[in-house]
Amino acid sequence: MFHSTTNKNLIHWIEECATLCVPQNIVWCDGSEEEQNVLIKSMTDQGELISLNPDHFPSSYLYRSHPNDVARDESKTFICCEHKSDSGPTNNWMSPQQAEQSIKPLFQNCMKQRTMYIIPYVMGPIDSPFSKVGIQITDSPYIVINMNIMARVGNDALKKLGNSHDYVKGMHGLGTLDPNQRFIAHFTESNTIWSINSGYGGNALLSKKCFALRLASVMGKNEGWLAEHMLILGIRTPENKQHYVVAALPSSCGKTNLAMLQPPYSIKGYEITTVGDDIAWLRFDDQGVLRAINPEAGFFGVAPGTNTTTNPNAMNMIHRNTIFTNVGLTDNRCPWWEGMSEPPETAIDWQGTTWTPNNNTCAAHPNSRYTTPLTECPTLATTWDDPQGVPISAIIFGGRRAKLTPLIYQAYSWNHGVFIGATMASETTAAATTPVGTIRRDPMAMRPFCGYHIGDYFNHWLDFGKNNQSPPVFAVNWFRTNDNGQFLWPGFGENFRVLQWIIERCEGIAEAQETPIGMIPYASDIFAEDLNVPHSIQQELLSVTPTHWLNECEDIDIFFQTVGSSLPSALIQEHQSLKGRLKNALL
Ligand code: OXD
Ligand code: MN
């Protein structure tokens, strides 16, 4: 068993895991290209990976997961802290003692005749003082090859860790994949994760949602920073001013598209760059400037809907060095998914069966994915690996709301911005196993990912910005529809026009109009003539209807009641003020 650590705590923990899981052998991963190639070759030889057409998709592969294991399973996701009240109303809770009794035995012998891989990794730029080390053990080679893309894996992590005990212990076993015995358990008081009976990304790539959001959100509360479900994007203006913004949108609401957005042809002189598409760790520096790092090193993007119009940069990026999961396969061994292009006449669907467009099913699973290194991204910011992170000019919250919420509005203050984030709601999508299309409150897009009491989380947000140069906060909604369910806003590259207004607000250039819910743009600042959005639709996109919003306020009241006594009074005040402004508007 080769490894280059003398960290006794780590060696002891690995021994414990091995005694429990009883693997046939143990492999320490170094994250090298050679290791990746060897694993890929052995998986391809065993038929677990399908090698794609090397002329069109060199070094790219298709993996099909078990059909019952295709999304994050929120009902099987637990926060295991001593006191139930610390996990709050948005999490499932289990005591650590109960987890010992009911989850640990599921790991017993679970790696018999299998290899246990040990993956040392760093979340964040290796040399950043804000980065953190994790060690994941897994018996899934698929997870190893994905982790090699998604995190900075290898001996650098062991070096960074040294003899410290400060690392996240992640134990993952594929087990039987029985969904009834599936658990993703987070021990927030001992920085430990146990995941058993799932091999799907969000449940099994423990660096991502489990560490970089659920555990990191708790670390952030204790240490004065924020771990957020946010993309990080750079905008350089024609005057050469470099801005970065962060944006929180729920799963499958276009974070990756926004992070790689290509401005419309008619708008010249701006450059968009990408730092991250899913997770941001935020803190104020010594000068009081808000800074963000992307803890990840790759994209785990949703494939369906991605095409040369919605995300030309992603389409370019995924043509090499990419692992596709649960997409369709064309006759010439290229990946295909709904919304990519005209459907092929025949294909093999994500479950491996013959498919034609006449089938009543999808060729690709709605939550099918591509895993690609950040370094393949054509718009990657040169600062993506900056140990200090990038300075943030604005914070954006967004949801998927067919009705109600305007295209864009700006909060009146930090507390109002936190209120807007805290009361975000969105229609659910296929990224989780919850029913699709129902509206649920998804505060800061963190409902499935906040590892502690959501009321304490709101308090932490309020405190975080209190004594600092907190940036302005905005809310966006790309998803407003007419009565026939058609989108009113063209979206994708055109979202740039909204970003432009945000940046102009940050620079004090653009004007805004006050409404009861916040400040909105003048239509002429968003809807330039070349956009061709009819006047009536422009009005609808920016409309704020007080009676509808008063109904929303009632729903917010219901949500606030579920938060209970730790709901900050500042948010109650913001809610009262909003109601007051709405009622005034009706007078
Ligand atoms: C994701 C998610 O995979 O949010 O990013 O579900
Ligand atoms: Mn996400």
Side-chain angles (χ1 to χ4, degrees):
M1 172 163 101
F2 170 78
H3 57 82
S4 58
T5 182
T6 53
N7 187 318
K8 290 208 178 77
N9 181 283
L10 172 58
I11 293 170
H12 179 70
W13 173 64
I14 301 289
E15 281 166 2
E16 263 179 21
C17 293
T19 307
L20 179 64
C21 304
V22 198
Q24 189 173 48
N25 53 331
I26 297 179
V27 171
W28 284 73
C29 299
D30 63 10
S32 65
E33 213 175 306
E34 191 192 345
E35 171 182 276
Q36 187 80 340
N37 291 341
V38 168
L39 277 172
I40 285 176
K41 167 129 189 9
S42 117
M43 288 181 74
T44 315
D45 289 348
Q46 285 166 38
E48 287 175 44
L49 275 187
I50 297 169
S51 184
L52 296 174
N53 186 326
D55 294 334
H56 301 289
F57 289 87
S59 305
S60 297
Y61 304 87
L62 167 62
Y63 176 82
R64 297 190 185 117
S65 75
H66 192 284
N68 79 24
D69 190 26
V70 291
R72 281 186 294 101
D73 200 337
E74 291 176 15
S75 68
K76 306 292 160 50
T77 301
F78 290 83
I79 298 298
C80 303
C81 50
E82 277 301 324
H83 303 289
K84 183 172 198 280
S85 55
D86 289 340
S87 66
T90 54
N91 285 306
N92 302 313
W93 174 80
M94 191 186 284
S95 72
Q97 295 75 15
Q98 177 67 39
E100 253 327 284
Q101 275 172 31
S102 54
I103 304 181
K104 200 168 191 179
L106 300 172
F107 284 92
Q108 236 154 40
N109 288 322
C110 76
M111 297 187 188
K112 238 184 170 143
Q113 276 148 31
R114 301 179 63 80
T115 298
M116 178 169 120
Y117 298 94
I118 302 163
I119 312 171
Y121 63 96
V122 177
M123 296 309 281
I126 302 271
D127 295 326
S128 170
F130 314 126
S131 296
K132 297 203 174 272
V133 174
I135 310 285
Q136 170 161 0
I137 72 154
T138 180
D139 58 346
S140 162
Y142 165 77
I143 289 300
V144 179
I145 61 173
N146 277 271
M147 282 291 287
N148 275 341
I149 297 175
M150 294 307 297
R152 293 154 172 93
V153 172
N155 287 332
D156 282 350
L158 292 177
K159 231 194 301 163
K160 189 171 174 84
L161 182 61
N163 286 322
S164 162
H165 296 190
D166 186 13
Y167 61 98
V168 168
K169 300 180 175 79
M171 176 165 68
H172 169 245
L174 284 172
T176 58
L177 299 184
D178 176 356
N180 298 316
Q181 300 280 307
R182 185 169 292 161
F183 290 98
I184 302 100
H186 304 72
F187 300 83
T188 49
E189 286 144 356
S190 61
N191 283 342
T192 299
I193 307 156
W194 293 350
S195 168
I196 184 83
N197 291 324
S198 169
Y200 167 77
N203 301 326
L205 292 168
L206 302 186
S207 61
K208 193 173 179 60
K209 304 300 187 181
C210 303
F211 176 171
L213 287 177
R214 295 195 191 96
L215 292 188
S217 63
V218 179
M219 295 173 192
K221 179 188 62 144
N222 295 335
E223 297 167 10
W225 52 282
L226 287 170
E228 293 299 321
H229 193 199
M230 288 175 166
L231 65 91
I232 312 169
L233 148 145
I235 305 169
R236 196 170 39 75
T237 69
E239 294 76 36
N240 243 336
K241 288 207 182 112
Q242 181 64 54
H243 291 275
Y244 294 91
V245 301
V246 285
L249 285 101
S251 308
S252 292
C253 286
K255 279 205 300 298
T256 310
N257 294 344
L258 185 58
M260 295 181 201
L261 166 152
Q262 205 167 69
Y265 284 119
S266 52
I267 299 179
K268 306 279 183 240
Y270 286 85
E271 188 193 38
I272 295 278
T273 49
T274 309
V275 178
D277 78 324
D278 196 40
I279 300 178
W281 287 357
L282 296 162
R283 67 188 78 221
F284 285 95
D285 69 14
D286 296 344
Q287 272 78 49
V289 175
L290 182 62
R291 289 189 168 265
I293 59 168
N294 174 9
E296 301 193 280
F299 300 100
F300 185 60
V302 176
T306 309
N307 62 45
T308 49
T309 308
T310 60
N311 195 337
N313 290 315
M315 285 308 282
N316 175 334
M317 159 181 106
I318 58 180
H319 270 269
R320 61 206 158 270
N321 297 334
T322 294
I323 299 165
F324 294 92
T325 302
N326 292 340
V327 298
L329 182 67
T330 66
D331 291 349
N332 69 345
R333 300 175 81 75
C334 290
W336 189 84
W337 49 81
E338 278 64 28
M340 177 189 191
S341 55
E342 282 302 305
E345 273 170 29
T346 59
I348 312 284
D349 73 8
W350 66 277
Q351 299 197 59
T353 47
T354 308
W355 178 93
T356 75
N358 297 331
N359 281 29
N360 247 343
T361 57
C362 291
H365 186 276
N367 190 36
S368 53
R369 300 279 176 148
Y370 54 82
T371 318
T372 310
L374 275 181
T375 46
E376 292 292 351
C377 177
T379 51
L380 189 66
T382 52
T383 46
W384 73 278
D385 208 24
D386 186 329
Q388 297 306 318
V390 294
I392 299 302
S393 301
I395 295 176
I396 302 170
F397 293 119
R400 178 185 284 270
R401 295 297 295 263
K403 303 286 169 211
L404 189 80
T405 319
L407 178 63
I408 164 81
Y409 61 105
Q410 182 181 355
Y412 285 117
S413 63
W414 177 255
N415 281 8
H416 183 219
V418 175
F419 172 79
I420 289 172
T423 56
M424 264 171 70
S426 198
E427 288 146 29
T428 47
T429 67
T433 54
T434 42
V436 171
T438 49
I439 291 187
R440 72 167 178 177
R441 294 280 144 203
D442 191 350
M444 283 85 174
M446 281 288 278
R447 185 189 185 103
F449 307 121
C450 178
Y452 61 104
H453 196 298
I454 201 78
D456 295 338
Y457 172 69
F458 296 157
N459 260 307
H460 181 43
W461 258 90
L462 290 163
D463 272 0
F464 182 69
K466 204 165 58 190
N467 298 321
N468 289 295
Q469 306 157 33
S470 47
V473 178
F474 297 83
V476 298
N477 176 26
W478 316 135
F479 300 98
R480 202 129 165 200
T481 61
N482 64 16
D483 291 340
N484 300 325
Q486 286 152 336
F487 289 113
L488 296 178
W489 170 247
F492 308 111
E494 302 297 351
N495 291 338
F496 179 76
R497 297 172 195 266
V498 171
L499 292 181
Q500 200 179 359
W501 185 74
I502 289 173
I503 293 306
E504 287 173 3
R505 288 293 294 163
C506 295
E507 292 188 348
I509 301 170
E511 303 276 317
Q513 337 174 42
E514 291 193 1
T515 79
I517 64 162
M519 291 174 278
I520 62 166
Y522 286 94
S524 55
D525 284 345
I526 299 279
F527 304 102
E529 261 172 30
D530 61 311
L531 192 55
N532 221 353
V533 173
H535 188 69
S536 60
I537 294 185
Q538 296 181 13
Q539 295 222 302
E540 196 171 342
L541 279 165
L542 293 179
S543 67
V544 176
T545 310
T547 47
H548 296 175
W549 275 93
L550 281 165
N551 291 340
E552 177 80 353
C553 284
E554 280 177 26
D555 206 56
I556 291 173
D557 268 327
I558 295 170
F559 170 61
F560 275 0
Q561 274 160 28
T562 67
V563 177
S565 60
S566 66
L567 179 71
S569 55
L571 293 192
I572 298 172
Q573 261 165 36
E574 286 297 332
H575 195 27
Q576 293 305 343
S577 310
L578 171 62
K579 283 192 243 183
R581 291 193 299 266
L582 289 165
K583 283 183 186 146
N584 269 343
L586 284 175
L587 291 178

